[in-house]
């Protein structure tokens, strides 16, 4: 005979737990439903077209997909070496108390609101980049957006890589050291191999964050829906255009197109998070002590 | 008379403020097997982990006193720990092959750190090491398989081969059989017997019968002190200390 309290406990917690997949379902459903007019109007051409002209009711997504991808790749190019180096120092090299302070500061970096990053980007980072990089004329451009994103995803990459390194069993480090490996050799021999797929996971999670980041990027990237090969030219991302134009969407088709952009962004981030999950899961399964 | 290989003088060790070894004076003789026995927490692992200065890699760990290997004090600043570990190899309790490496690469891992060798030279060293570790016949056809795909006992012999490949003078075995089944244990004991022709061996063991079977000398540790050190047969048949007698007759521990 089951305890009555337990029956209710189970029912209530089940309700809470099932609300999450339900919410996700609703979210995707509404996005699909609302973007239907744009999907019907533009078809697959929406993804590959380069024109975004609300006045002429012509919409397509490529400039935004391009802006999102390139700014995120710039962010990765900067944040991956930096975050990885930091994680290696924190997990493998340092034995001083100093590293605890660094670790806390890395976490603090993640706690700063993105609008603050944006302000800082406009008033400090942008002008500063203009000053040091020849050929750069505007502070608000693709490059500034990428650099701001790099700073914002640095904590994710650092913290996760550090965790991945620390998940490598200590006795592997000892085995390498006992063979006479230096710290660097020890890292190459015993840690990097088992950690590889976890590192890829960390990078992809960082990428996922960069793709979806809205506020700070909107403030510094320039917001111009044109594909330009120059990193010094203004650009536009999926998240930014949605945030900027949603309130002023003039026609139903405009609104629907914005929602289709949201759908594209959602699909991209879900795919990337899925891949990350898979890789991280694979490492922990394979190399944790039996 | 047996030739002295390692001598410890007043060796003390700490983890933070807790002293775990007290003034240990002990000799290790060349081409002999020296076993360290004693109950859990008596400091026997810490003791041998000083021989290759692995002890000091743990946060809060320190040691003082002397450990003289072939006439040189290993705690001397001029003696680089990396060089020392080349002379004093170590095998741990749990088999620890490098998980992403093949059998071959595991054995070659150590040599690759020190010198560049031609493929044929490397093949030769790998084969020699695996033969010495009595594993060659079992793995010669699976050299390109992951080291982790071997059985536990084979993995432990793989780790021994990995340590042998860099041709150390001394091999430290830290409870090498405690994670293995009786058949694998017997194989490793047989192997230790063979290895002492070429190497000096110091092993920590939980298992007194194992010490009696393979060791020439045995030291009994209790609460961080070395209670007694003597020829193995003497320790097990006619110990001079009451505490040793109590331990080997199973009155505690």
């Amino acid at each position: 005979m089951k305890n009555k309290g337990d029956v209710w406990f189970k029912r209530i917690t089940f309700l809470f737990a099932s609300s999450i997949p339900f919410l996700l379902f609703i979210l995707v459903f509404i996005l699909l439903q609302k973007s239907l007019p744009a999907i019907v109007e533009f078809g697959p051409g929406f993804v590959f077209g380069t024109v975004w002209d609300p006045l002429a009711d012509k919409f397509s997504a490529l400039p935004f997909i391009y802006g999102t991808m390139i700014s995120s790749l710039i962010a990765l190019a900067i944040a991956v070496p930096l975050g990885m180096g930091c994680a290696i120092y924190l997990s493998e090299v340092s034995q001083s108390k100093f590293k605890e302070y660094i670790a806390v500061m890395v976490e603090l970096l993640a706690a700063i609101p993105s609008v603050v990053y944006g302000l800082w980007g406009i008033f400090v980072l942008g002008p500063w980049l203009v000053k040091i990089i020849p050929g750069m004329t505007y502070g608000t451009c693709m490059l500034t957006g990428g650099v701001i994103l790099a700073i914002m995803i640095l904590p994710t990459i650092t913290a996760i890589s550090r965790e991945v390194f620390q998940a490598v069993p200590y006795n592997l480090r000892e085995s390498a050291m006992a063979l006479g490996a230096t710290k660097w050799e020890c890292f190459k021999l015993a840690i990097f191999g088992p950690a590889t797929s976890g590192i890829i996971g960390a990078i992809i999670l960082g990428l996922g964050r960069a793709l979806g980041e809205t506020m700070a990027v909107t403030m510094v990237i320039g917001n111009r829906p044109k594909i330009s090969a120059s990193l010094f030219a203004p650009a536009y991302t999926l998240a930014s255009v949605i945030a900027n134009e949603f309130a002023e969407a003039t026609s139903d088709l405009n609104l629907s197109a914005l929602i289709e952009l949201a759908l594209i962004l959602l699909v991209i981030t879900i795919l990337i998070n899925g891949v990350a999950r898979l890789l991280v899961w694979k490492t922990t399964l394979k190399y944790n002590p039996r | 008379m047996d030739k002295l290989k390692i001598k410890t003088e007043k060796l003390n060790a700490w983890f933070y403020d807790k002293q775990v070894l007290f003034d240990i004076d002990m000799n290790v003789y060349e081409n002999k097997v020296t076993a360290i026995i004693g109950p859990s927490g008596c400091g026997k692992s810490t003791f041998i982990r000083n021989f290759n200065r692995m002890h000091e890699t743990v946060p809060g760990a320190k040691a003082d006193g002397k450990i003289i290997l072939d006439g040189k004090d290993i705690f001397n600043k001029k003696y680089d720990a990396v060089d020392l570990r080349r002379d004093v190899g170590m095998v741990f309790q749990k088999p620890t092959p490098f998980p992403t490496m093949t059998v071959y690469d595991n054995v070659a891992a150590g040599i690759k750190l020190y010198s560049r060798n031609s493929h044929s030279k490397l093949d030769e060293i790998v084969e020699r090491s695996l033969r010495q570790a009595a594993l060659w016949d079992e793995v010669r056809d699976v050299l390109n398989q992951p080291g982790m795909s071997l059985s536990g006992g084979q993995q432990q012999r793989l780790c021994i081969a990995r340590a042998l490949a860099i041709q150390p003078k001394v091999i430290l075995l830290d409870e090498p059989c405690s994670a293995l089944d009786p058949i694998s244990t017997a194989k490793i004991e047989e192997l230790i017997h063979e290895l002492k022709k070429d190497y000096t061996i110091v092993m920590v063991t939980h298992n007194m019968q194992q010490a009696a079977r393979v060791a020439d000398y045995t030291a009994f540790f209790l609460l961080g002190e070395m209670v007694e050190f003597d020829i193995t047969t003497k320790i097990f048949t006619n110990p001079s200390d009451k505490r040793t007698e109590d331990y080997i007759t199973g009155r505690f521990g």
Side-chain angles (χ1 to χ4, degrees), chain A residues 95 170-182 185-186 188-190 192-196 286-287 289-290, chain B residues 49 52 54 57-58 82 85 88-90 92 94-101 109-110 113-114 148 155 162-163 166:
Chain A
Q95 287 183 342
Y170 190 73
N171 55 27
L172 284 181
R173 274 162 244 246
E174 289 206 317
S175 301
M177 272 192 278
L179 284 175
T182 60
E185 289 165 341
C186 182
K188 276 196 300 181
L189 211 59
F192 191 73
T196 315
K286 211 162 157 191
Y287 300 118
R290 290 147 299 157
Chain B
R49 286 168 61 89
N52 60 348
M54 285 299 284
T57 62
V58 179
V82 168
R85 290 173 195 149
V88 183
M90 188 166 198
F92 299 87
K94 265 194 181 172
T96 54
F98 296 127
T100 46
M101 290 187 196
L113 295 177
Y114 300 113
M148 295 294 258
Q155 285 184 20
R162 184 173 68 188
I166 51 178

Side-chain angles (χ1 to χ4, degrees), chain B residues 46-146:
Chain B
T46 307
F47 179 64
I48 70 160
R49 286 168 61 89
N50 271 295
F51 284 32
N52 60 348
R53 288 175 51 191
M54 285 299 284
H55 173 65
E56 67 186 34
T57 62
V58 179
K62 59 180 196 283
D64 72 13
K66 278 185 178 167
I67 297 179
I68 308 208
L69 168 68
D70 288 333
K72 281 191 280 184
D73 183 2
I74 65 162
F75 288 146
N76 191 310
K77 290 265 183 299
K78 281 184 200 146
Y79 210 140
D80 188 20
V82 168
D83 294 334
L84 171 66
R85 290 173 195 149
R86 217 190 146 168
D87 290 337
V88 183
M90 188 166 198
V91 175
F92 299 87
Q93 196 168 344
K94 265 194 181 172
T96 54
F98 296 127
T100 46
M101 290 187 196
T102 62
V103 172
Y104 183 98
D105 288 337
N106 260 287
V107 181
I111 331 160
K112 282 183 180 167
L113 295 177
Y114 300 113
S115 55
R116 279 188 188 283
N117 290 288
S118 62
H119 276 295
S120 56
K121 183 81 168 67
L122 213 53
D123 289 349
E124 202 184 301
I125 297 171
V126 168
E127 180 175 342
R128 186 201 68 214
S129 309
L130 285 168
R131 279 188 192 283
Q132 278 186 321
L135 190 58
W136 176 252
D137 292 332
E138 293 162 55
V139 300
R140 59 191 306 168
D141 298 323
V142 293
L143 290 176
N144 289 320
Q145 301 280 318

Side-chain angles (χ1 to χ4, degrees), chain A residues 9 50 62 75 78 89 100-101 150 156-157 190 215 221 248 286:
Chain A
F9 183 59
T50 56
L62 200 61
I78 299 169
Y89 178 78
E100 291 307 321
Y101 297 114
T156 310
I157 292 182
M215 198 61 223
I221 205 163
E248 298 132 38
K286 211 162 157 191

Side-chain angles (χ1 to χ4, degrees), chain B residues 167-188:
Chain B
Q167 294 193 286
K169 298 170 186 163
V170 179
I171 296 172
L172 308 172
L173 304 169
D174 188 357
E175 299 192 33
C177 303
S178 62
L180 305 181
D181 62 89
I183 292 167
S184 304
T185 301
K187 275 191 183 154
I188 297 218

